[in-house]
C-alpha cells in the first residue's frame, strides 16, 4: 500500500508553522496545532453568529443550535455512536470528573465497592477516583504494569473481584506511547460485570475508535489535542446510563420543568450540559475532525509510526540517552510518544538547552507520577509526534540534543 504523505503541503494548512518557521514542535501530546479552517471557523462564529442557544427561539439562536448539533453529529459519526450519547464539557479532565461524580451520586459506586485504575494513568483519570473514594467509601485498586511497562490482561483478571464495579483505563499512555487493547479489555470487564471508562485524550489522536463495536461505558477526550479548539471536552456516555439519573452538575438548560418540589430533566445529551456551552469551539471542532478524516486516518497513523521509527533509530545512536519502555519495535501498539532522559541530567536542564535551539518538547512527570515512581525517576523528557512533523524536525531535535553533552561534562 502506498502511504505517501505530503507533509510539506499539510504544514501550509497550519498558521503556527507559517508564523514560526524556525520552531521544531515535538509536543503535540500536550496540545496540537490547529489547521487554519478551525481557527477561521471559530473566528467566523464570533463575527457572524454569536448568540446563546436554548435561550430564545430567535432565528440566530436556532441557527447556532443547528450548527452545534451538526458538530455533535460529525463527532458521533467519527466515534461510531449515537448523537444522544455525546455530551460537551470543557476538557477531558472535566469530563472524567463529571463521570466519576455522576457514578458516585447515582450509587453505582459506594461503600464496599472497588474501582480499578492503572499504573499508567494520567492524573486526570486517577485523582478523581482517589479523591471521591475518601468521600463515598469505595476502594481504589491499581492494575500494575509489567516490566515492559505494559498492562497484562492476566493481571487484570487476577485483581477483579466480586466487589469491582469499574475499570478506569487510558486508551494510550501520554508518557509511554503504549496503546491498550481496549476491545479485549472491555470484553473481559463485561464478562465480569464491570463498567469501563476509557480516557481517550491521547488514544483518539492516533487510533481508530469504534464505540459501537467496543460497547464500553464512557469514553472521554479533549478537542485541543485532536487539532481542535481549547476549552472543549467530549464525553461519550453509553445510552444505558443516561436515563432517569441524578445529574452530577445542574443549572440552566438541562430541565423541562422546575418547581421547588419537582424537577423534570431533559433527555441525554442535554441532561449532561448545564449552563452556557462553548458554542464557538463546538462549531469549530467539527472542521478539525473533517480535516483529519480527509487526510485519511490510516495514512496518518502509518506516517506517524514511520516517523517514530526514524526518531528511535536516531535516538538510540546517542550513548548518553536512556529511552524508557519497550521500544525494541515500533508498531501500532506503541508509537508517537517517546520518553527518555539524558544520563546525569535533570529533564528541565535538557529542555532549557533544547529551547535555545527552538526545539519544544515536554519535560517533568507529565501528570503521570505513578509511571515515574515505577521507573524510579522524578521525571523524563517526552517527544511527541503528530502528522505535521517531518524527518527534518527529528534531525534538528537530535542535533540540539547533542548540544546538551557539554552540560553532562560539567556535572
Ligand atoms: N488524559 C491523558 C492521557 C492526557 O494526556 C491528558 C492531557 N495531558 C489528559 C487526560 C487531560 O487532558 P486535558 O488537560 O485536556 O483535560
Amino acid at each position: 500500500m502506498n502511504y505517501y504523505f505530503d507533509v510539506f503541503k499539510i504544514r501550509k494548512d497550519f498558521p503556527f508553522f507559517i508564523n514560526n518557521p524556525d520552531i521544531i514542535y515535538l509536543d503535540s501530546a500536550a496540545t496540537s496545532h490547529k489547521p487554519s479552517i478551525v481557527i477561521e471557523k471559530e473566528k467566523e462564529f464570533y463575527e457572524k453568529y454569536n448568540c446563546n442557544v436554548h435561550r430564545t427561539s430567535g432565528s440566530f439562536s436556532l441557527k447556532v443550535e443547528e450548527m452545534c448539533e451538526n458538530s455533535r453529529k460529525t463527532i458521533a459519526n467519527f466515534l461510531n455512536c449515537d448523537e444522544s450519547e455525546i455530551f460537551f464539557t470543557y476538557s477531558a479532565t472535566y469530563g472524567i470528573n463529571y463521570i466519576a461524580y455522576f457514578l458516585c451520586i447515582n450509587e453505582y459506586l459506594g461503600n464496599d465497592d472497588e474501582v480499578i485504575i492503572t499504573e499508567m494513568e494520567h492524573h486526570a483519570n486517577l485523582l478523581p477516583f482517589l479523591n471521591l473514594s475518601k468521600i463515598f467509601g469505595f476502594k481504589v485498586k491499581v492494575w500494575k504494569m509489567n516490566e515492559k511497562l505494559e498492562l497484562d490482561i492476566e493481571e487484570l483478571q487476577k485483581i477483579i473481584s466480586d466487589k469491582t464495579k469499574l475499570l478506569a483505563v487510558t486508551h494510550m499512555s501520554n508518557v509511554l506511547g503504549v496503546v491498550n487493547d481496549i476491545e479485549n479489555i472491555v470484553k473481559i470487564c463485561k464478562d465480569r460485570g464491570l463498567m469501563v471508562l476509557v480516557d481517550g485524550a491521547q488514544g483518539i489522536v492516533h487510533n481508530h475508535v469504534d464505540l459501537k463495536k467496543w460497547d464500553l461505558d464512557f469514553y472521554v477526550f479533549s478537542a485541543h489535542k485532536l487539532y481542535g479548539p481549547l476549552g472543549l471536552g467530549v464525553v461519550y456516555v453509553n445510552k444505558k446510563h443516561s436515563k432517569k439519573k441524578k445529574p452530577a452538575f445542574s443549572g440552566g438548560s438541562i430541565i423541562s420543568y422546575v418547581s421547588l418540589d419537582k424537577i423534570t430533566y431533559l433527555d441525554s445529551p442535554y441532561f449532561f450540559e448545564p449552563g452556557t456551552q462553548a458554542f464557538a469551539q463546538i462549531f469549530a471542532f467539527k472542521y478539525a475532525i473533517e480535516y483529519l478524516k480527509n487526510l485519511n486516518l490510516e495514512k496518518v497513523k502509518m506516517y506517524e509510526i514511520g516517523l517514530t521509527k526514524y526518531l528511535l533509530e536516531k535516538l538510540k545512536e546517542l550513548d548518553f540517552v536512556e529511552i524508557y519502555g519497550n521500544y525494541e519495535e515500533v508498531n501500532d501498539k506503541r508509537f508517537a510518544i517517546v520518553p527518555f532522559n539524558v544520563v546525569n541530567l535533570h529533564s528541565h536542564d535538557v529542555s532549557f538547552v533544547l529551547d535555545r535551539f527552538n526545539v519544544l518538547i515536554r519535560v517533568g512527570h507529565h501528570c503521570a507520577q505513578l509511571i515515574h515512581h515505577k521507573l524510579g525517576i522524578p521525571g523524563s523528557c517526552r517527544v511527541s509526534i503528530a502528522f505535521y512533523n517531518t524527518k527534518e524536525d527529528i534531525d534538528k531535535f537530535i542535533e540540539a540534543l547533542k548540544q546538551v553533552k557539554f552540560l553532562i561534562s560539567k556535572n
Side-chain angles (χ1 to χ4, degrees):
M1 213 179 294
N2 178 16
Y3 286 118
Y4 178 71
F5 203 67
D6 192 347
V7 65
F8 293 100
K9 182 162 172 274
I10 285 168
R11 280 171 81 86
K12 293 195 179 118
D13 294 335
F14 288 79
F16 179 87
F17 296 118
I18 296 167
N19 293 320
N20 300 285
D22 298 330
I23 294 292
I24 309 303
Y25 189 79
L26 293 168
D27 196 18
S28 292
T31 197
S32 64
H33 293 300
K34 328 299 173 200
S36 47
I37 181 76
V38 172
I39 300 165
E40 280 158 20
K41 288 291 170 184
E42 194 168 334
K43 187 165 171 272
E44 182 183 322
F45 178 90
Y46 291 115
E47 288 178 349
K48 291 195 184 161
Y49 310 110
N50 186 38
C51 78
N52 214 327
V53 168
H54 305 306
R55 298 290 188 278
T56 70
S57 53
S59 55
F60 261 69
S61 182
L62 290 174
K63 171 81 184 155
V64 171
E65 183 166 0
E66 187 191 326
M67 283 155 51
C68 292
E69 289 312 317
N70 272 333
S71 276
R72 199 191 304 272
K73 199 180 285 180
T74 302
I75 296 163
N77 245 316
F78 187 63
L79 302 174
N80 193 20
C81 65
D82 294 348
E83 284 158 58
S84 64
E85 293 174 305
I86 294 295
F87 80 82
F88 295 113
T89 176
Y90 305 107
S91 61
T93 303
Y94 271 85
I96 295 167
N97 273 281
Y98 188 104
I99 296 301
Y101 191 54
F102 173 80
L103 292 174
C104 291
I105 62 165
N106 285 293
E107 292 164 25
Y108 283 88
L109 299 177
N111 262 333
D112 277 347
D113 292 333
E114 289 172 357
V115 169
I116 297 177
I117 52 97
T118 91
E119 205 174 7
M120 202 184 266
E121 294 317 300
H122 186 282
H123 296 163
N125 205 24
L126 168 66
L127 293 181
F129 294 104
L130 285 181
N131 285 331
L132 289 170
S133 71
K134 295 185 178 85
I135 303 167
F136 290 91
F138 58 88
K139 188 174 160 205
V140 175
K141 276 172 138 179
V142 183
W143 179 6
K144 295 218 162 118
M145 295 184 290
N146 63 20
E147 287 315 302
K148 291 176 167 177
L149 305 177
E150 290 162 3
L151 294 167
D152 279 336
I153 294 285
E154 300 77 60
E155 181 60 21
L156 173 65
Q157 301 264 32
K158 276 191 226 154
I159 61 172
I160 295 174
S161 80
D162 293 344
K163 295 179 173 178
T164 317
K165 294 284 167 12
L166 174 80
L167 168 70
V169 61
T170 189
H171 186 177
M172 184 171 187
S173 164
N174 66 309
V175 177
L176 303 163
V178 169
V179 182
N180 289 317
D181 181 355
I182 297 300
E183 190 173 353
N184 202 14
I185 290 172
V186 173
K187 256 187 215 141
I188 284 155
C189 289
K190 279 179 82 177
D191 280 356
R192 306 283 300 268
L194 269 68
M195 295 175 286
V196 183
L197 183 162
V198 175
D199 171 359
Q202 300 294 341
I204 194 156
V205 181
H206 305 284
N207 302 281
H208 178 63
V209 170
D210 187 338
L211 294 176
K212 280 231 158 67
K213 186 166 154 207
W214 295 350
D215 196 26
L216 45 74
D217 297 271
F218 311 101
Y219 190 93
V220 186
F221 62 96
S222 288
H224 72 92
K225 295 191 200 269
L226 193 63
Y227 314 103
L230 284 158
L232 180 65
V234 178
V235 182
Y236 159 83
V237 179
N238 190 310
K239 54 167 101 55
K240 67 183 166 209
H241 299 299
S242 58
K243 283 269 180 255
K244 305 261 183 291
K245 303 273 170 14
K246 293 181 205 128
F249 301 112
S250 52
S253 303
I254 69 168
I255 54 86
S256 60
Y257 177 80
V258 175
S259 71
L260 287 181
D261 41 35
K262 187 171 186 279
I263 307 170
T264 314
Y265 292 106
L266 294 174
D267 284 336
S268 179
Y270 312 110
F271 167 86
F272 291 105
E273 295 178 340
T276 298
Q277 300 293 294
F279 304 123
Q281 289 74 6
I282 294 170
F283 171 59
F285 186 38
K286 168 183 153 79
Y287 296 90
I289 290 185
E290 284 179 353
Y291 181 89
L292 194 58
K293 279 171 84 174
N294 278 337
L295 287 182
N296 183 322
L297 291 177
E298 198 51 30
K299 269 193 182 180
V300 165
K301 185 168 178 169
M302 296 315 291
Y303 179 77
E304 290 171 346
I305 291 175
L307 212 52
T308 314
K309 279 186 183 158
Y310 184 72
L311 166 68
L312 260 295
E313 254 171 56
K314 297 283 168 191
L315 213 47
K316 282 178 181 171
E317 284 170 9
L318 306 180
D319 60 3
F320 56 91
V321 163
E322 186 179 4
I323 302 163
Y324 301 108
N326 180 27
Y327 256 127
E328 293 305 305
E329 223 183 293
V330 179
N331 53 36
D332 62 356
K333 305 278 177 292
R334 188 187 291 247
F335 67 105
I337 298 174
V338 179
F340 71 92
N341 263 322
V342 171
V343 284
N344 296 331
L345 267 194
H346 195 284
S347 62
H348 284 95
D349 292 334
V350 177
S351 85
F352 180 81
V353 176
L354 293 183
D355 199 59
R356 295 293 168 278
F357 291 88
N358 290 331
V359 175
L360 308 188
I361 64 164
R362 167 104 194 250
V363 293
H365 54 63
H366 321 300
C367 304
Q369 285 197 334
L370 296 190
I371 295 178
H372 289 87
H373 293 332
K374 165 99 179 171
L375 289 167
I377 51 174
S380 57
C381 304
R382 177 187 76 181
V383 171
S384 53
I385 283 173
F387 60 76
Y388 43 55
N389 287 120
T390 63
K391 280 189 168 179
E392 287 72 12
D393 287 346
I394 307 292
D395 291 340
K396 286 185 180 154
F397 157 65
I398 295 289
E399 283 313 305
L401 199 51
K402 286 179 184 167
Q403 302 300 320
V404 303
K405 254 193 144 178
F406 83 93
L407 272 182
I408 308 174
S409 55
K410 282 192 171 172
N411 256 1

